[in-house]
């Protein structure tokens, strides 16, 4: 590669990194403001000002104000299923596969609890198309758990259960910090994780 092409590639990489950081800044500001005051009390102009970006620049990332909510939520599940599958594939025992996949999702939800809290509260403001996409993303995550559970049932590792129902119970358990975080402030996240994975494995344990 000649020097001119190297310079172009370096410039493209710098621009890409700058764009990504700017997007992350916009998401961080929008999430903070909406958590503090709610969707209706936050303006696009305010987000742009606090994020140190022009309103015109902000509209490079969004078409409408509700797109800010979509940006917040898109970050939550971005790449999580491949991470879950990779973690599960690194294990041989079915229980360890389920634990590994659950741990990935658990940590993702724990780390993005504030954003998820905003999504719960402001769900009414999402466009219908996004609601449908979000529902599918949740179904795909649940199905990742269900696939491991069904595989364990098939090879005799796990007891017969309704894998669909249990997989959605795992989603709900993962959201415990969002739903009941006020009651768990004194607890370590992995201690809570261990309690919850043991609940799941107890249900799957052969009698």
């Amino acid at each position: 590669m000649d020097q001119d092409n190297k310079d172009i590639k370096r410039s493209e990489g710098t621009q890409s990194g700058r764009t990504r950081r700017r997007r992350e800044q916009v998401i961080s500001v929008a999430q903070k403001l909406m958590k503090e005051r709610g969707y209706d009390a936050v303006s696009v102009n305010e987000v742009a000002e606090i994020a140190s970006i022009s309103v015109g620049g902000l509209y490079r990332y969004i078409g409408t104000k509700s797109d800010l909510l979509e940006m917040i939520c898109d970050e939550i599940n971005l790449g999580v299923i491949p991470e879950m599958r990779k973690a599960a594939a690194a294990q041989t025992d079915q229980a360890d596969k389920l634990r590994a996949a659950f741990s990935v999702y658990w940590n993702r939800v724990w780390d993005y609890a504030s954003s998820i809290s905003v999504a719960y509260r402001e769900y009414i403001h999402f466009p219908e198309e996004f609601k449908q996409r979000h529902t599918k993303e949740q179904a795909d995550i649940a199905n990742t758990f269900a696939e491991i559970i069904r595989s364990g049932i098939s090879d005799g590792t796990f007891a017969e259960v309704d894998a669909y129902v249990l997989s959605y119970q795992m989603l709900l358990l993962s959201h415990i910090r969002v739903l009941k975080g006020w009651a768990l402030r004194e607890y370590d996240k992995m201690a809570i994780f261990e309690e919850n994975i043991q609940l799941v494995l107890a249900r799957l344990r052969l009698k």
Side-chain angles (χ1 to χ4, degrees):
M1 181 181 293
D2 60 35
Q3 187 60 45
D4 287 344
N5 285 336
K6 286 181 180 178
D7 290 341
I8 290 171
K9 289 292 186 182
R10 187 178 300 112
S11 176
E12 289 175 347
T14 301
Q15 290 175 1
S16 176
R18 188 181 300 118
T19 298
R20 184 171 58 254
R21 289 192 296 273
R22 182 63 58 84
R23 177 185 170 87
E24 290 171 353
Q25 175 69 3
V26 168
I27 292 171
S28 176
V29 169
Q31 182 268 319
K32 182 176 184 294
L33 291 176
M34 289 182 190
K35 182 179 180 182
E36 290 175 351
R37 303 206 306 269
Y39 176 86
D40 289 328
V42 175
S43 71
V44 170
N45 286 10
E46 183 180 20
V47 172
E49 181 180 355
I50 296 176
S52 299
I53 183 173
S54 69
V55 174
L58 179 56
Y59 275 106
R60 292 174 56 193
Y61 301 98
I62 65 173
T64 66
K65 180 179 167 181
S66 66
D67 289 343
L68 289 170
L69 279 173
E70 293 189 32
M71 289 171 66
I72 292 169
C73 289
D74 282 341
E75 290 293 303
I76 297 168
N77 293 330
L78 184 65
V80 73
I81 291 178
E83 289 181 28
M84 292 167 66
R85 294 187 184 281
K86 181 179 180 181
Q91 307 297 325
T92 54
D93 180 78
Q94 297 288 7
D96 289 340
K97 286 179 179 292
L98 191 60
R99 172 188 285 271
F102 191 37
S103 178
V104 169
Y105 187 64
W106 175 273
N107 281 294
R108 177 65 67 90
V109 173
W110 190 278
D111 292 342
Y112 283 84
S114 292
S115 295
I116 296 171
S117 177
V118 169
Y120 270 125
R121 190 178 64 191
E122 307 297 347
Y123 192 75
I124 189 174
H125 295 292
F126 285 117
E128 189 59 36
E129 181 181 350
F130 180 81
K131 290 180 181 179
Q132 293 175 7
R133 179 159 64 87
H134 180 69
T135 298
K136 184 181 183 304
E137 288 177 355
Q138 291 291 288
D140 289 343
I141 293 168
N143 191 53
T144 303
F145 292 137
E147 287 174 1
I148 300 171
I149 294 169
R150 291 189 184 107
S151 180
I153 294 171
S154 179
D155 69 13
T157 302
F158 295 149
E160 289 280 348
V161 299
D162 188 321
Y164 176 87
V165 172
L166 185 56
S167 68
Y168 272 94
Q169 288 176 331
M170 292 176 72
L171 288 188
L172 183 59
L173 289 171
S174 297
H175 285 229
I176 192 170
R177 186 187 186 196
V178 180
L179 301 172
K180 296 294 180 183
W182 56 269
L184 302 170
R185 288 191 297 268
E186 305 301 320
Y187 288 83
D188 175 75
K189 72 173 180 178
M190 295 315 295
I192 304 171
F193 168 79
E194 191 62 33
E195 288 291 331
N196 283 283
I197 187 60
Q198 289 301 328
L199 282 175
V200 173
L201 294 177
R203 181 68 183 91
L204 292 167
R205 194 167 295 126
L206 294 169
K207 304 300 182 184

